[in-house]
Amino acid sequence: MRTFLSSTSVRTLPSTIIKRYSLTIQNSKSYLICPILSRNYSLQIETDKPKTFSNQHIIPRLPIPTLQETTERYKKSLLPILKPEEYTRAANAVDEFVKADGLGEVLQKRLHELDKIEKYSWLENIWLNKAYLEWREPSIINVNWWCEFKDHPNGVLKQVPKGQITDFQINRTAGLISNTLSFNDEINNELLPPESTRQGPLCMNQYKKQFGTTRIADSPVDRVISPWPATAKHIIVLFRDQIFKVQVLGEGGARVTIKDIERQLKSIVEQINNTNELQLPIGLLTGEHRDTWATARKALESQSSENRSNFEAIDTALFSLSLDDYSTDSDIDVSHHNLFHAFNGRNRWFDKCLQLIVQSNGRAGVNGEHSPADAVIPGRIFDYIVSKEPAQDPPNSSSIPLPTPQHLKWVTYPSLETILEKAQSNIQAANDNVDSVLLHYNEYGSNWLKSAKLSPDAFIQMALQLAYYRRQGGPCPTYESASTRGFLHGRTETVRSCSIDSVAFTKAFDDKDFKKEQKLALLTKAIETHLEYMISATNGKGVDRHLLGLRCQIQTEEEKSRALIFTDPSYIQSMYFKLSSSNLSPGDYFYGGFGAVVPEGYGVNYAIGKEGIKFSISSYKKYSETDSTSFRKILKNSLDDLRDFVA
């Protein structure tokens, strides 16, 4: 029997307590009045639903593919991007690596030994460190992602003067906070149903890494704190670069009303409007180079216990909220930049896993730090909180007096202002370089694609290949993320979308010498090849994660010099993803994006709805070979042409 408290953070009670106290029946559900707590709470007894993490013990560990599986797939992925002589050299390096009693077998054995001592997965810590925490470039564009929410059912306000906070903004913000707290309750109390596919249960571990989760700048490598259950009672709120510790739950995690949260937010605005003691914009440092930020953070911590308490409040907060006293253009092509980078990086804390952002007109979204989880997990949270708007008070909530929000005051040091000025300059330069646009394509979506017996995701990948080929005149290494949550603590694997079959299709599509039947056959083959790679990657048998694991087992310079598979230029070239993509379907309540992963590349996120497809396209202005607006136009034309071609 599973039990949960609907208004506290207590997850379970012993069965002896359940037996001791009488049940009352309300609305066909059982409730337990439990006088042993500080106040009476309704305890709902459910016997039919499995706990959130109840399947974890049956989820298999991530497999280690054989050397032959990985290297054969790897060589095949090199064919469309290398010249014949380059491929011959690369293939020889691969064959040397995997030969009997060669270096590959030594590294593979070490990887299996690592798998024996890692609690959950041979890849988990390698990926966290190599993909994220060791990366020293600023997180703001290079790591973090953004999502824009569907507007409130009442729409957004028009022409709000700059510098103003609106009642509508406060009301929507309080509702989003309350709904987000409700989702945290579901995770803490294990009420969220465990997820699964037709292939089996999915790992739910990433849900433990959403609330109270913070990336902390450190040297030489960052770290992440992520408690579970996440039982903090406070969030942090940023308003005009000022940071507040704001309690949003009562004792024992008791839920308060939306009006109570509104009062907390209004208190923040009132405090700032009535003070001359504004603090320096410390949040700017979270958008700086990680080593610069780590040094500055240590210096601040050494100044005073008050600073250390401030960081503890920020790091342990359930999530962050940025209350902006301005509104961007109603054009979503403009407004999403406020979520991406805030135009100037101000009034943000880019190290929090979840950072809600609400403009004065009520438009809202999130900026998220990528280290602890992949997009599908926070996406589930956003579906929940936005679908429940207008927000209602949670069950068993009551109006509880909450402590006044605490304005965090900093003890600074002489060079800090100069460091912040430099941070502002660096962030501004990085933000000004971002070329990000949206394409909301409404001609068709998954309904039509499925009726045409086409895989929606594979079809969109081929549309991206066609658009890139048309604009750039050739193919490029392409990344699509595949989820490996079918395995314990699984994250992602790379699908190398550019294949010999996708290139054959894109070359033929605009060639008048090819008949329609031939082109259709090439499209079908390209889609089949993509689906085969996706299935293999989802089953833990891609290329990139295994090769990374093997490379991390090299112990000496001598071994490094012998590992020609990694020193050959083809290895880096094949991972130089000029087209990086991610599917965040269906996009009914939000859509999002991220920065291109190489300077002369594109970052494309898409959400395939039933009747339309939402794209975000990012690149960098400094590189003349890319242009997001041009790519958007060519992508739209490609989608149109493919529709007419298939129909």
Side-chain angles (χ1 to χ4, degrees), residues 125 132 155 394 631:
N125 290 318
Y132 299 108
F631 189 89

Side-chain angles (χ1 to χ4, degrees), residues 546-564:
H546 187 202
L547 290 182
L548 173 63
L550 292 170
R551 185 159 57 93
C552 288
Q553 306 314 305
I554 294 174
Q555 297 177 351
T556 67
E557 287 298 318
E558 187 272 335
E559 288 181 346
K560 185 176 181 180
S561 68
R562 289 170 52 206
L564 299 181

Side-chain angles (χ1 to χ4, degrees), residues 6-9 38-41 181 185 233 246-265 393-405:
S6 56
S7 58
T8 76
S9 61
S38 58
R39 55 181 287 181
N40 286 350
Y41 291 93
L181 294 172
D185 283 346
K233 297 191 292 294
V246 184
Q247 189 167 326
V248 289
L249 294 168
E251 292 304 313
R255 296 300 301 276
V256 302
T257 66
I258 293 173
K259 286 293 183 184
D260 290 322
I261 298 174
E262 286 184 12
R263 280 190 283 271
Q264 293 291 76
L265 297 174
D393 286 333
N396 302 308
S397 63
S398 59
S399 187
I400 300 171
L402 296 172
T404 301

Side-chain angles (χ1 to χ4, degrees), residues 322-602:
S322 293
L323 203 60
D324 290 341
D325 65 348
Y326 58 85
S327 298
T328 55
D329 194 292
S330 59
D331 181 358
I332 56 175
D333 238 9
V334 177
S335 64
H336 80 272
H337 285 263
N338 194 50
L339 304 167
F340 201 161
H341 47 64
F343 299 100
N344 59 9
R346 303 291 286 260
N347 205 47
R348 301 288 185 268
W349 197 268
F350 290 107
D351 286 349
K352 290 301 286 185
C353 178
L354 294 177
Q355 179 177 204
L356 295 174
I357 300 165
V358 187
Q359 299 178 174
S360 57
N361 64 356
R363 181 156 284 168
V366 171
N367 185 283
E369 205 285 316
H370 205 331
S371 300
D374 304 304
V376 68
I377 304 300
R380 172 70 178 83
I381 300 174
F382 306 153
D383 280 340
Y384 178 96
I385 66 177
V386 179
S387 68
K388 293 184 178 298
E389 289 189 295
Q392 304 295 316
D393 286 333
N396 302 308
S397 63
S398 59
S399 187
I400 300 171
L402 296 172
T404 301
Q406 177 190 352
H407 188 186
L408 303 186
K409 308 290 181 67
W410 301 91
V411 178
T412 63
Y413 52 94
S415 62
L416 184 60
E417 287 194 49
T418 302
I419 293 170
L420 286 168
E421 289 172 2
K422 181 64 173 174
Q424 179 70 85
S425 176
N426 291 340
I427 291 169
Q428 195 65 62
N431 293 352
D432 289 345
N433 188 33
V434 172
D435 181 12
S436 181
V437 300
L438 306 181
L439 169 61
H440 285 190
Y441 184 81
N442 296 313
E443 298 301 317
Y444 56 86
S446 61
N447 280 348
W448 179 79
L449 289 167
K450 290 177 181 178
S451 71
K453 302 189 184 309
L454 294 166
S455 160
D457 179 75
F459 179 89
I460 297 303
Q461 285 293 317
M462 293 309 108
L464 291 172
Q465 291 295 308
L466 180 60
Y468 189 91
Y469 189 89
R470 282 174 161 181
R471 188 178 195 284
Q472 306 299 141
C476 72
T478 304
Y479 174 101
E480 183 189 4
S481 57
S483 174
T484 53
R485 287 180 59 214
F487 301 102
L488 199 60
H489 288 213
R491 294 282 304 262
T492 61
E493 174 59 275
T494 302
V495 175
R496 296 187 169 204
S497 301
C498 180
S499 66
I500 53 175
D501 295 313
S502 71
V503 172
F505 161 68
T506 55
K507 282 183 175 181
F509 191 79
D510 292 321
D511 191 332
K512 295 179 180 179
D513 291 335
F514 282 80
K515 297 179 180 179
K516 180 177 179 178
E517 294 76 13
Q518 292 173 302
K519 296 177 183 180
L520 189 58
L522 290 171
L523 173 61
T524 301
K525 177 61 175 173
I527 286 176
E528 289 174 351
T529 297
H530 185 82
L531 289 173
E532 188 277 329
Y533 203 129
M534 174 63 76
I535 292 169
S536 295
T538 302
N539 288 330
K541 294 191 176 184
V543 165
D544 291 80
R545 303 300 183 264
H546 187 202
L547 290 182
L548 173 63
L550 292 170
R551 185 159 57 93
C552 288
Q553 306 314 305
I554 294 174
Q555 297 177 351
T556 67
E557 287 298 318
E558 187 272 335
E559 288 181 346
K560 185 176 181 180
S561 68
R562 289 170 52 206
L564 299 181
I565 186 175
F566 301 125
T567 59
D568 189 87
S570 60
Y571 180 63
I572 297 299
Q573 186 178 345
S574 72
M575 295 191 300
Y576 201 78
F577 296 115
K578 291 186 178 182
L579 187 53
S580 180
S581 63
S582 180
N583 182 348
L584 201 55
S585 298
D588 294 336
Y589 294 105
F590 69 92
Y591 52 87
F594 56 90
V597 300
V598 300
E600 60 271 57
Y602 292 99

